[in-house]
Amino acid sequence: MTARRISVPPTAGLALRCADLRPWGDKRLDRALAAWLEVDEVLLECSGTSALVLALRTLQQWAPDRCEVVVPAYTCPLVALAVAQCGLQLRLCDLSPDCLDMDGDALDALLSHRTLALVPTHLGGRVADVARLLPRAQACGAYVIEDAAQALGARVHGRSVGLQGDIALFSLAVGKGLSTYEGGVLLARDPALMAALRAQHQASIRPHLAWELRRSLELLGYAAAFRPALLDRVYGAPLRRSLARGDWVTAAGDDFGSHIPQHSLGAWRQRVGLRALARLDAHWAQAQQQAQQRIAQLRTLPGLEVVEDSPPQAQGIWPVILLRLPSAAQRDALMQAHWASGWGLSLPFSRVLPDYERYAPVLGEAMDDPVPQARDWAQRLLAISNSAWLSDALFGQLLDALRQTMPPSAAG
C-alpha cells in the first residue's frame, strides 16, 4: 500500500471548527476586532489589497498634488497592483543589509514633495521598525501606511502594530492566521483620517453577490480541506505541478490578476471570523512557544540566520520562521530538493518586484530603481511553516536537509 503523502501548510493558519460556520449570531466582526486591537474603530474590506486601494484613494483626496508611493522592493506584487489601480507612481526602496526594513539612505534618496505615502511591511509576522521611518516621512509631508497584512496579532511597545503610522491594514486571507478566506482590516490613528477612510468606504464599497458567493464557497472549502488528511490534495498536488514546470512564481503564490475586486465583506463570513477570533490569542501563544523551541535548534547550524523583529520592544507573531541562507545557490538547492517534500517550505515572495516580468507594465519607471540589497534578500530568504502539523519528526528531517545544505566551512 502506498503511504499517504503529507503536506504541511506553508503557514500556521488558524483552523476553523464546525461551530464557526453557523449562519446565525453576532455579525459585527468589525467591533470585535476593534476591541481586540484596542482601537475605537476598524473598517472591514474584502481583502488587504482592497484596503490599501481605499487608503491610497483617501490620501489622494487629502494631498492631490502628490503622486508617488514608496514601498519595499521585496514585497507582495499586490502592493504594486494597488498603487497602479489608483493611478499613482510606484517607487521601490532597497532593503537594509541586516534586516527586512527599508534602507534609510535609499529611502532618503526617494522621498520628496511628490511622495504621497511610504508603506513599510511587517513581513511574515516580523515587526518592522516603523518608528525609525516616521521622522523621514514627516519631514517631507508624506503619510505612513503600515502593511501589516501578515502581522495581525503582532505588537510593539505593548500595542498592536499599525498604530505608529498614519494608517494600517491587515489581511484576513488564507494563511494569515484569522481568515474569512479573503478579507481586510483598515484603521487610522487620527480620528479625522479615520472619518475620511469611512467616508471613502461608504462612497465606493458595495455588496457584490457573485463575489460574496464565491468567497463563501471558498471559505467552506477551506474549512473542510484545512486538515492533514486533505491538504495534500488541495495544496500539495498543485504545488508539485508548478514545481515540475519550473514555475516558482506560481508555486510561491505570486501570480495575480491585474484587477483588484472591491466589495463588502458578507455577514456570514463575518460571523465565522468573529467566532474564530476568540481562539486567536491562544493560537499565536502556542505558535510562539513552538517557534522559540525550533529557533533554538536552527541556531545550532552555523551560517544560518534566523530573521527576528527589528525593534527590540516588539513581539511579532509566528506563522512562519524566516531564514536567510549564506548564498542564493544554497537556498535554491534546498528549495529544488525539498520544496515538494511536504515539510512546509516556502518563499515569502519569489523575487523582488523589478524581476517579475509579468508586472513590468504596472511598475513603470520603478523597474529602474536600484535594489541590490533587496535582491540579495530575495535570493537567500526562505520560510519554514510554523504549523503544529509540522511534527518534531518532520522538523528533524528538515534540520538534516539544512545541515547537508550548509557548506563544510559553515557547518564547521
Side-chain angles (χ1 to χ4, degrees):
M1 181 180 295
T2 303
R4 178 174 60 85
R5 279 186 177 269
I6 295 175
S7 286
V8 173
T11 64
L14 178 63
L16 295 176
R17 297 173 178 173
C18 290
D20 296 334
L21 307 178
R22 291 172 296 176
W24 58 81
D26 188 355
K27 65 178 181 180
R28 294 303 303 269
L29 177 59
D30 56 342
R31 291 178 179 173
L33 277 168
W36 191 79
L37 292 166
E38 299 177 343
V39 297
D40 292 335
E41 179 185 4
V42 303
L43 295 172
L44 293 180
E45 307 300 331
C46 67
S47 69
T49 316
S50 176
L52 178 56
V53 170
L54 193 144
L56 290 172
R57 285 180 172 159
T58 302
L59 294 181
Q60 282 179 290
Q61 294 177 353
W62 277 38
D65 56 330
R66 294 173 177 259
C67 61
E68 293 185 351
V69 180
V70 180
V71 309
Y74 186 63
T75 193
C76 181
L78 285 169
V79 173
L81 292 171
V83 173
Q85 187 155 310
C86 294
L88 294 165
Q89 182 179 345
L90 192 73
R91 297 303 306 271
L92 303 182
C93 187
D94 206 2
L95 298 187
S96 169
D98 55 1
C99 67
L100 286 168
D101 291 353
M102 288 189 278
D103 181 77
D105 291 339
L107 185 59
D108 288 339
L110 292 170
L111 294 175
S112 74
H113 66 279
R114 297 184 300 274
T115 307
L116 175 67
L118 57 150
V119 189
T121 303
H122 302 289
L123 180 62
R126 307 280 46 82
V127 178
D129 193 352
V130 175
R132 183 178 58 86
L133 307 178
L134 293 177
R136 291 178 162 92
Q138 292 163 357
C140 75
Y143 296 93
V144 174
I145 303 174
E146 291 188 50
D147 180 356
Q150 301 179 6
L152 180 63
R155 304 179 77 82
V156 62
H157 296 295
R159 302 190 69 197
S160 171
V161 296
L163 300 179
Q164 296 182 93
D166 299 291
I167 296 175
L169 63 94
F170 302 89
S171 174
L172 303 179
V174 172
K176 300 298 195 297
L178 181 68
S179 178
T180 54
Y181 195 84
E182 278 286 2
V185 183
L186 189 61
L187 62 88
R189 285 187 302 110
D190 178 60
L193 184 51
M194 189 68 207
L197 291 172
R198 189 188 322 114
Q200 179 69 19
H201 173 97
Q202 292 170 346
S204 60
I205 304 301
R206 297 288 181 270
H208 193 295
L209 181 59
W211 270 112
E212 187 58 32
L213 178 60
R214 173 178 171 175
R215 294 305 189 213
S216 296
L217 291 173
E218 288 170 331
L219 182 59
L220 282 171
Y222 169 68
F226 194 68
R227 59 193 71 245
L230 294 177
L231 196 62
D232 184 72
R233 183 176 301 175
V234 298
Y235 168 71
L239 173 64
R240 291 190 293 273
R241 288 195 294 269
S242 297
L243 295 176
R245 298 191 304 267
D247 185 356
W248 281 31
V249 172
T250 301
D254 293 346
D255 51 330
F256 302 106
S258 59
H259 176 67
I260 300 167
Q262 290 197 278
H263 55 88
S264 57
L265 184 66
W268 175 69
R269 289 197 291 143
Q270 289 193 48
R271 291 184 175 104
V272 173
L274 193 152
R275 293 186 181 106
L277 178 61
R279 304 192 301 276
L280 190 58
D281 281 326
H283 174 76
W284 285 138
Q286 181 181 14
Q288 180 180 10
Q289 182 179 19
Q290 176 174 276
Q292 295 306 322
Q293 292 170 349
R294 292 184 171 176
I295 287 171
Q297 295 175 271
L298 289 163
R299 285 186 172 143
T300 65
L301 303 180
L304 193 66
E305 178 185 351
V306 178
V307 180
E308 298 279 9
D309 299 318
S310 292
Q313 309 88 351
Q315 183 180 7
I317 55 172
W318 293 96
V320 296
I321 300 171
L322 295 176
L323 302 178
R324 182 160 61 162
L325 270 66
S327 73
Q330 291 163 271
R331 197 284 304 271
D332 287 354
L334 180 72
M335 296 303 289
Q336 287 167 354
H338 298 294
W339 197 348
S341 297
W343 296 338
L345 286 174
S346 67
L347 301 179
F349 312 110
S350 58
R351 55 197 68 182
V352 291
L353 288 176
D355 292 349
Y356 292 97
E357 293 182 5
R358 67 182 67 188
Y359 301 121
V362 303
L363 291 175
E365 296 177 8
M367 290 288 290
D368 299 324
D369 288 335
V371 292
Q373 292 167 175
R375 185 169 286 108
D376 181 71
W377 271 101
Q379 292 172 346
R380 294 200 283 142
L381 197 66
L382 63 85
I384 298 175
S385 173
N386 194 37
S387 169
W389 299 341
L390 181 63
S391 66
D392 290 341
L394 290 175
F395 184 71
Q397 294 175 23
L398 176 54
L399 277 177
D400 288 340
L402 283 164
R403 191 174 292 111
Q404 293 169 14
T405 301
M406 295 295 103
S409 60

